[in-house]
Amino acid sequence: MDATPPRHLSARKKPRQARSATTVEAIFEATIQVLLREGIHRLTTTRVAERAGVSVGTMYQYFPHKQALLYALNERYLDLVAERVEAACQAQHGAPTKAMVEALVTAYWEAKTERSEVTRALYRSAVELDNEALIEAFARRMDAATIAMLKSAPDAVYANLDLVNVTLLSVIFGTVRNVFERNLPASQQVAIRHQLTIMCLSYLEMSAGKAEPGAPGCA
Amino acid sequence: MDATPPRHLSARKKPRQARSATTVEAIFEATIQVLLREGIHRLTTTRVAERAGVSVGTMYQYFPHKQALLYALNERYLDLVAERVEAACQAQHGAPTKAMVEALVTAYWEAKTERSEVTRALYRSAVELDNEALIEAFARRMDAATIAMLKSAPDAVYANLDLVNVTLLSVIFGTVRNVFERNLPASQQVAIRHQLTIMCLSYLEMSAGKAEPGAPGCA
DNA sequence: TCAATATATGAAGGATCATTCGTTTTCGGG
DNA sequence: CCCGAAAACGAATGATCCTTCATATATTGA
């Protein structure tokens, strides 16, 4: 995320040699592993270092403290998700509303559930982390991406685009998280995802001043 | 919640005298306060006891360990929310779908945001807590309540009630949480809540085999 | 090959916590 | 009023953790 991190959370120094880049990567990976296998209350600098195959001291060369590590981890993750959603949105510029909704739901849903354990681990790591700035920046990026997409729709014009957009995103993001955390069987997840798409589409159609010439309607 | 708690999380003993009931209540209250003022990583048995005006030892007479305290706290809270939603649902038996949706969204939304700091504190406390059973029980209660309500609708029959219902709940619960955590300005929250209601209603109408005799439709 | 710089090490300091248990205080029934 | 049970107390224990820093090793460019 491009949010300037709170000063106390910024990374200590940037890797200059190749091996240190490897190290940092290993540390990130190890953090996720520990988070998954041990839970957040057993997420220890020592344990992370051990699993990463480096010493604690090394960790502290790149992250001034544990919080900074978690912050950076979340930053990376949100960045990935944001990029995917943005790409999906751009790909649908000028497409019909239905395609837009499907692409949006699919992109976000898959970004979150593809490596669901990682997502879960990060949800946990984010608690008690001063990451409001991160969330805020993520929200803004998503807002911008979907607003631009919706504006380009050939079959709809929204009188209250901002509100419609923020509602749409809240519903999609919230639902994904909720379904995700309830850990429902995969088949049910797929079904709900489909329903969600239908629901959002219906919402958008309802909110749009329709511009479709031969709109199917009353006979 | 009526979920049998994992054995290791059940309370140690039940208050027999009046003063101990007071004590337990004070401990619960103190836990919330500490959670709010200090955050979860500073939620200490000592600190809780101190704020409750009792000694640590006293705490351990009612809760075998910290986790059990947090578990009990969440249990209490979910119970309250569940009761309110259940009441709202029962009050709408036989009412038109629109009234149902409005009541459901309102009940859940208000239960969560009325004392929003408490809700926030509890979301935090629930991380790394073995509370799947709690969530599960809550979900079941909600499912039962809303299914019963929807079945009683005079103006709709749902071919796929279970799916429609689980979708509805996922969307509402998820959206509330998402809006809640983004901490949007109150005015925007109200607006989104209204949109959410509209959206859900539209979804239900769309999913229903309509039974309304003089359905307003094509001229 | 040789400094200068970057990276890695890990034992030890200092601090915080969860939990126990021997003791003291309070309550309530007889 | 008195005694056994209930409730409360809180210092001490043992464990875990974050973070530092003096030292060692690796890399790079000249």
Side-chain angles (χ1 to χ4, degrees):
Chain A
M1 218 53 14
D2 46 357
T4 353
R7 199 175 295 101
H8 62 107
L9 285 180
S10 52
R12 181 161 276 174
K13 77 178 182 191
K14 300 209 166 169
R16 294 172 194 269
Q17 300 181 357
R19 63 176 162 159
S20 59
T22 310
T23 299
V24 169
E25 186 54 39
I27 291 174
F28 279 139
E29 203 47 53
T31 308
I32 295 178
Q33 300 297 334
V34 173
L35 225 29
L36 281 173
R37 284 170 175 61
E38 315 257 5
I40 197 173
H41 73 279
R42 306 210 63 199
L43 181 84
T44 290
T45 48
T46 318
R47 255 187 278 270
V48 169
E50 189 184 19
R51 179 155 227 111
V54 301
S55 78
V56 217
T58 296
M59 259 201 50
Y60 277 86
Q61 228 153 18
Y62 301 100
F63 306 98
H65 44 246
K66 228 176 87 171
Q67 279 218 337
L69 168 63
L70 294 179
Y71 188 91
L73 194 62
N74 277 272
E75 195 174 26
R76 262 166 59 103
Y77 173 73
L78 286 180
D79 229 11
L80 275 179
V81 174
E83 272 168 21
R84 290 182 57 166
V85 175
E86 280 172 346
C89 286
Q90 290 207 355
Q92 302 301 326
H93 268 226
T97 302
K98 186 178 180 188
M100 287 180 176
V101 172
E102 277 168 0
L104 178 56
V105 171
T106 299
Y108 189 75
W109 197 293
E110 285 179 352
K112 285 285 179 182
T113 58
E114 221 162 47
R115 292 166 307 174
S116 64
E117 340 78 43
V118 176
T119 303
R120 204 180 306 274
L122 289 173
Y123 274 148
R124 287 176 173 186
S125 81
V127 178
E128 284 296 303
L129 185 62
D130 187 10
N131 62 354
E132 284 177 33
L134 237 42
I135 303 284
E136 183 66 16
F138 177 77
R140 262 198 249 281
R141 276 179 73 172
M142 294 299 90
D143 265 14
T146 53
I147 283 198
M149 177 177 74
L150 291 178
K151 266 188 181 155
S152 78
D155 55 357
V157 168
Y158 302 94
N160 204 339
L161 181 54
D162 283 338
L163 179 56
V164 168
N165 186 66
V166 74
T167 301
L168 189 71
L169 290 187
S170 295
V171 167
I172 295 176
F173 294 178
T175 305
V176 171
R177 175 161 189 175
N178 194 71
V179 168
F180 183 79
E181 288 196 334
R182 276 184 60 182
N183 215 11
L184 297 172
S187 61
Q188 203 167 8
Q189 291 196 17
V190 172
I192 295 178
R193 172 175 153 184
H194 185 230
Q195 296 294 103
L196 174 63
T197 308
I198 291 175
M199 187 165 168
C200 289
L201 180 55
S202 143
Y203 172 66
L204 284 185
E205 285 173 347
M206 186 179 75
S207 306
K210 47 194 114 183
E212 206 173 306
C218 301
Chain B
M1 215 57 10
D2 46 358
T4 353
R7 198 175 295 101
H8 62 107
L9 285 181
S10 52
R12 181 161 275 173
K13 78 178 184 191
K14 300 210 165 167
R16 296 173 192 267
Q17 300 182 0
R19 63 177 161 158
S20 59
T22 310
T23 299
V24 169
E25 186 54 39
I27 292 174
F28 279 139
E29 203 48 52
T31 308
I32 295 179
Q33 300 297 334
V34 174
L35 224 28
L36 281 173
R37 283 170 176 61
E38 314 257 5
I40 198 173
H41 73 278
R42 307 210 63 199
L43 181 83
T44 290
T45 49
T46 317
R47 255 187 278 270
V48 169
E50 190 184 19
R51 180 155 226 110
V54 301
S55 78
V56 218
T58 296
M59 257 201 51
Y60 276 87
Q61 228 153 16
Y62 300 101
F63 306 98
H65 44 247
K66 228 175 87 171
Q67 278 217 337
L69 168 63
L70 294 179
Y71 187 92
L73 194 63
N74 278 271
E75 194 174 26
R76 262 167 59 105
Y77 173 74
L78 285 181
D79 229 11
L80 274 179
V81 175
E83 272 168 20
R84 290 182 57 166
V85 175
E86 280 172 347
C89 286
Q90 289 208 357
Q92 302 300 325
H93 268 226
T97 302
K98 186 177 180 189
M100 287 182 176
V101 172
E102 277 168 1
L104 178 57
V105 171
T106 300
Y108 188 76
W109 198 292
E110 284 180 352
K112 284 286 178 183
T113 57
E114 221 161 48
R115 292 166 308 176
S116 63
E117 340 78 42
V118 176
T119 303
R120 206 179 304 275
L122 289 174
Y123 274 148
R124 286 175 174 188
S125 81
V127 177
E128 283 298 301
L129 185 60
D130 187 10
N131 61 355
E132 284 177 33
L134 237 43
I135 303 284
E136 183 66 16
F138 178 78
R140 264 198 248 280
R141 275 179 75 170
M142 295 299 89
D143 266 13
T146 54
I147 283 197
M149 178 177 73
L150 291 178
K151 267 189 181 154
S152 79
D155 56 356
V157 168
Y158 302 93
N160 204 340
L161 182 54
D162 283 338
L163 179 56
V164 168
N165 187 65
V166 74
T167 300
L168 189 71
L169 290 187
S170 295
V171 167
I172 295 175
F173 294 178
T175 305
V176 171
R177 175 161 189 175
N178 194 70
V179 168
F180 183 79
E181 288 195 334
R182 276 184 61 181
N183 214 11
L184 298 172
S187 62
Q188 203 167 8
Q189 291 195 19
V190 173
I192 295 178
R193 171 175 154 184
H194 184 230
Q195 296 293 102
L196 174 63
T197 309
I198 291 175
M199 186 163 168
C200 289
L201 181 56
S202 142
Y203 172 65
L204 284 186
E205 284 173 348
M206 186 179 75
S207 305
K210 48 194 114 182
E212 207 174 304
C218 301

